[in-house]
Every structure is written in C-alpha cells, then in structure tokens.
C-alpha cells in the first residue's frame, strides 16, 4: 500500500486574504500587459513593464516582514550582483556547469543575507596554521561574525532533486562560519507536484517510503529548507504540516529560494508559524501549470540533468553524478547524506 501524503491547492489558497488576492491580480494584469511586447520584442516597453511590477512587488513586500528579498533588502552594489546572477540563471544559453556555478553564488549570497550581514553580531576569530614554517611555524588570524547562536541548532531539510545541491551549499556555509565546524544533520523528503494538475487544482505528494528523517532530530530545531524555485509554496507546507501532525515543533523555519513568486512567499509565511522566506529574486506570476513566469525553467533538471522515466536516480546515484569537484568540495555533507540514507 502506498504511503503518501497529499496536499491540495485549495488548502493553500485559504491562507490568502482579500487584499492579497487584489494585489496579486494587479501583478497578473501588469504581467499580461507586458507580455504583449514579447513578440515582437519591444525592449523599451518590456523594461517599463518590469519597472512597474518591481515597484509594486517592493511595496507589497514591505507589508510582509517575514519575506526577505535580496534585491529589496541590500544596497545598490549587492542588487547589481543579484541581477547579474539571476540573469545568467534565467538565460536559456546557460549550460549545466554554469548553472551550477551561478546557483552556488546565489546561495552564498542568500546565506550572507540571512546570517552574516547583521551589524549587531559580535566578532569571532579563526586562527589558521599556514604552510610557511621558516623561521617558525606561521599562523594567521581572521575575524568573522560570531553566529554560532544562529546556526548550531539547525537541521538541513532537503526536498529532493533540485534542492539537494543548494542544501549542501548552505550546510557548507554553516560549517565554515561555525567556530566548532558544526555539520548540519540532514533530513530527506521525497516531495513532488502532480504535473497533470493546473494551478487551481494542484496536488503535492509526500512519499514517506522514499524519505529519510528522524522526527526526534527535528523537534525544537531551526529547520532550513532550500529549493531553487518557490512557485506555490505547496511542497514546503506539505512537509512541515506533516511534521507538525507527527508532534514536531520546530523552533523556526527558514526557506531559501533563488526565485520565488510573491504568491508562494505569502502563502508560506502565512501558513507556517515563525517562518522566514529568503529569496534572491521575486517573480510576479505563475501560469496555469503553476510554473513561475518569467522563471528560469526546471531548476532541478538544469542542476542535475534529466532523469529517464524508466531509470530514475535515487539520492546516492545523484550524489555520484555530481562528479569529483563537487564531491571534494562538499565531502562532509555528502558523507552525512549517505549516512542518513544508508544508516
């Protein structure tokens, strides 16, 4: 018998208010107006349309303090970096290796926004033994923010495929900033959308038989979820609501996205208590299939390559396919994931 949990789209829409729906409809109208200039391309009108949508989204986000958008929260120089990274991730000409590189940059930026850039953090020190031994063994001292109190209670929760590498990147950042080299435990959830459905009747399926997690390890913890794309928010809400029904009470939830729709971010922060969404870029709308527009395509396939239907890769095969460079860089994270899956 199949052991699956299903969440329907109408369960999510209940978290949106009348004002939310009116504001989202305004963005939908602006995007449809802008799309008129996609073919033939009218660059001036497209720029004008996106400027309008950007200003509207920024004003809406001010009403939602739990939604942190990198391009709205940071200074002009950082915003320019975000624009460059997102533009390369969106570009259909960006190949697999480039997509991995820019995804890594995106999640390093998001980590800094969430954990490092606050001026109130006291300073810590890293003392490094260098290869220079003459006339004596040399050491160097480097100051870093002391953020142990933010990161040493975290568990990395992976919603598989596209979320695997971003989760490893965030875990690596935590390890590097921890004064003790803290390695996050991993919880692995097999969550998928039913792509035969449309946005208004979408279903999200949590397959417990292909998930690997310890409920006791999650209780009272700061749970971190990374997913390149947050379209509807359904995957995250499905997983967290299931955990809460099993008695898990997270201390906090942090959701990291390269791109999120405004609708998805609002749903998530309304549905889940003490949840903050960190996103590099916010997009205005979804199409009827619940794909983000303008979006960047299927981030999981662009990060990991496409599976053949008759030969889907499991988590260990996917780790092996990352290759030598990734395996070496995220060695500790890969060993921890293998331990979680293989026991």
């Amino acid at each position: 018998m199949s052991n699956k949990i299903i969440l329907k789209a109408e369960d999510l829409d209940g978290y949106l208010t009348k004002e939310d729906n009116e504001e989202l409809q305004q963005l939908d109208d602006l995007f449809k107006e802008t799309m008129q200039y996609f073919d033939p391309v009218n660059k001036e009108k497209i720029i004008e349309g996106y400027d309008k949508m950007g200003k509207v989204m920024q004003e809406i986000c001010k009403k939602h303090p739990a939604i942190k958008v990198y391009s709205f929260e940071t200074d002009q120089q950082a915003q320019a970096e975000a624009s460059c990274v997102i533009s390369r991730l969106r570009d259909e000409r960006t190949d697999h290796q480039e997509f991995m590189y820019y995804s890594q940059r995106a999640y390093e930026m998001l980590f800094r926004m969430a954990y490092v850039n606050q001026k109130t953090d006291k300073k810590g020190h890293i003392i490094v033994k260098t290869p220079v031994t003459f006339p004596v063994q040399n050491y160097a001292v480097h100051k870093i923010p002391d953020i142990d109190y933010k990161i040493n209670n975290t568990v990395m929760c992976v919603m598989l495929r596209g979320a695997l590498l971003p989760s490893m990147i965030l875990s690596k950042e935590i390890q590097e900033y921890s004064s003790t080299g803290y390695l996050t435990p991993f919880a692995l959830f097999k969550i998928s959308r039913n792509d035969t459905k449309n946005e208004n009747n979408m279903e999200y399926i949590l397959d417990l038989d292909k998930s690997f997690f310890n409920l006791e390890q999650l209780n009272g913890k700061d749970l971190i979820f990374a997913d390149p794309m947050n379209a509807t928010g359904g995957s995250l809400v499905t997983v967290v609501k299931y955990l809460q029904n099993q008695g898990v009470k997270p201390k906090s939830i942090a959701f990291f996205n390269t791109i999120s729709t405004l609708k998805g971010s609002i749903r998530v922060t309304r549905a889940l208590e003490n949840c903050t969404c960190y996103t590099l870029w916010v997009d205005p709308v979804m199409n009827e299939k619940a794909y983000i527009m303008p979006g960047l395509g299927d981030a999981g396939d662009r990060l990991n390559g496409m599976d053949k239907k008759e030969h889907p890769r499991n988590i260990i095969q996917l780790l092996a396919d990352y290759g030598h460079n990734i395996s070496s860089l995220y060695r500790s994270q890969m060993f921890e994931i293998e331990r979680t899956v293989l026991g």
Side-chain angles (χ1 to χ4, degrees), residues 15-83:
Y15 296 108
L16 299 177
T17 66
K18 180 182 178 182
E19 181 183 7
D20 292 335
N21 286 316
E22 289 172 351
E23 291 174 334
L24 293 169
Q25 184 60 54
Q26 180 186 5
L27 284 171
D28 189 72
D29 293 342
L30 285 171
F31 191 78
K32 287 177 180 176
E33 181 182 329
T34 304
M35 279 198 301
Q36 298 176 33
Y37 303 106
F38 287 0
D39 186 19
V41 173
N42 185 327
K43 291 183 179 180
E44 289 186 3
K45 289 292 186 180
I46 293 174
I47 292 171
E48 180 183 317
Y50 275 100
D51 281 344
K52 288 180 181 178
M53 285 184 282
K55 290 175 182 176
V56 171
M57 288 189 289
Q58 192 163 9
E59 288 303 311
I60 295 171
C61 286
K62 288 179 181 178
K63 304 175 186 178
H64 300 272
I67 299 174
K68 306 292 186 184
V69 182
Y70 189 93
S71 51
F72 296 161
E73 298 272 338
T74 53
D75 60 30
Q76 191 170 0
Q77 183 177 357
Q79 291 166 16
E81 181 184 9
S83 290

Side-chain angles (χ1 to χ4, degrees), residues 64-129:
H64 300 272
I67 299 174
K68 306 292 186 184
V69 182
Y70 189 93
S71 51
F72 296 161
E73 298 272 338
T74 53
D75 60 30
Q76 191 170 0
Q77 183 177 357
Q79 291 166 16
E81 181 184 9
S83 290
C84 290
V85 168
I86 287 291
S87 68
R88 296 308 297 268
L89 287 168
R90 289 196 199 273
D91 198 324
E92 63 181 1
R93 298 168 297 180
T94 298
D95 63 21
H96 169 64
Q97 292 297 330
E98 277 190 305
F99 197 89
M100 293 180 74
Y101 166 73
Y102 285 108
S103 292
Q104 177 166 320
R105 282 185 60 184
Y107 274 91
E108 289 170 351
M109 293 160 67
L110 285 168
F111 177 84
R112 291 197 300 271
M113 177 175 70
Y115 295 107
V116 180
N117 287 346
Q118 288 80 9
K119 295 180 181 179
T120 55
D121 289 326
K122 64 180 181 178
K123 297 297 181 184
H125 297 87
I126 298 177
I127 300 177
V128 182
K129 184 179 180 180

Side-chain angles (χ1 to χ4, degrees), residues 111 156 167-177 182-184 186 328-333:
F111 177 84
M156 194 62 55
S167 299
M168 291 164 64
I169 294 167
L170 286 175
S171 178
K172 180 73 170 180
E173 291 294 300
I174 287 171
Q175 186 181 22
E176 289 185 350
Y177 275 90
Y182 176 70
L183 179 60
T184 59
F186 281 81
S328 297
L329 184 60
Y330 301 108
R331 184 185 299 110
S332 298
Q333 284 69 32

Side-chain angles (χ1 to χ4, degrees), residues 213-231:
F213 56 90
N214 182 334
L215 291 173
E216 291 182 2
Q217 189 182 54
L218 299 171
N219 194 37
K221 298 296 185 178
D222 297 304
L223 306 185
I224 299 177
F225 292 81
D227 195 334
M229 310 290 283
N230 173 23

